[in-house]
Amino acid sequence: MDFINLLAPTLEHVGRLGYWLILLISFAESIAFVGTILPGTTLVVFAGLLASQGHFNIINLIWFAAAGAILGDGLSYFLGTRGKDFFKNENKLLKLSHLEKGEEFFKKHGPKSVFLGRFIGFIRPIIPFVAGLSKMDKWTFLFWNVSSAVLWAVFYLLIGYFFGGAIDTIGKAL
């Protein structure tokens, strides 16, 4: 808790910009290939912890985090619809055969992949891109994207929120 107490004056100055920062973090971590190097989920959990200490409203955080994730996945999906030109047989990583396998997989497991992929860190930013590449129906994608983004935001923010509440209890017990 000492760390959070040290941050408190800084958090006072951040104020409402903190919500927009969470939106930006959720957005950036959902963008294809950018999200593989950004620890966005960790920062979202930390924001939940800060909410438990009264620095943010948890409900507002949930809406901002979900909105960022939805928008980031939407951009990745759009980029995927335009990304077929990157796939060539002579490429080492982006081969046409990989694209064909991805399209086949999405025809069979597309909605499940969009929903469950949100909760698996290293593939989270790639799934929407592949959904766009494989021409997944945009309304189906949108439904599963919104559903998973809201659940993702609730889940990770509440983990931080409840952990933040437990820190005080643990501190008193010691």
Side-chain angles (χ1 to χ4, degrees):
M1 266 317 149
D2 291 333
F3 177 69
I4 293 175
N5 291 333
L6 288 172
L7 282 177
T10 305
L11 292 171
E12 303 281 326
H13 293 292
V14 171
R16 291 191 175 148
L17 288 177
Y19 295 108
W20 291 100
L21 184 61
I22 290 301
L23 184 138
L24 183 63
I25 288 167
S26 298
F27 175 78
E29 84 145 3
S30 298
I31 297 175
F33 307 107
V34 174
T36 56
I37 58 171
L38 182 72
T41 302
T42 304
L43 296 171
V44 169
V45 171
F46 184 66
L49 186 142
L50 294 174
S52 76
Q53 303 302 308
H55 296 288
F56 295 110
N57 177 296
I58 191 70
I59 301 299
N60 291 341
L61 277 178
I62 288 169
W63 289 119
F64 276 83
I70 292 165
L71 293 171
D73 277 0
L75 177 60
S76 290
Y77 177 86
F78 174 77
L79 293 173
T81 62
R82 306 289 188 255
K84 285 203 178 214
D85 296 337
F86 296 117
F87 290 82
K88 295 180 176 38
N89 281 330
E90 59 271 6
N91 290 348
K92 289 185 179 186
L93 192 58
L94 301 175
K95 293 184 177 287
L96 280 173
S97 63
H98 296 155
L99 178 61
E100 291 165 2
K101 287 178 186 176
E103 288 175 344
E104 216 173 279
F105 179 83
F106 259 84
K107 284 179 185 168
K108 192 173 184 181
H109 305 289
K112 289 184 284 191
S113 299
V114 172
F115 186 82
L116 296 174
R118 163 80 60 197
F119 297 92
I120 303 171
F122 63 94
I123 64 168
R124 178 183 309 112
I126 306 300
I127 292 290
F129 183 78
V130 176
L133 277 173
S134 63
K135 295 183 172 71
M136 182 179 194
D137 176 67
K138 65 182 172 186
W139 297 111
T140 302
F141 173 79
L142 183 64
F143 174 79
W144 290 108
N145 177 29
V146 170
S147 300
S148 65
V150 171
L151 189 60
W152 173 84
V154 168
F155 181 73
Y156 285 106
L157 284 166
L158 288 182
I159 284 175
Y161 190 83
F162 291 124
F163 181 70
I167 287 177
D168 287 339
T169 306
I170 292 168
K172 290 175 186 173
L174 296 176

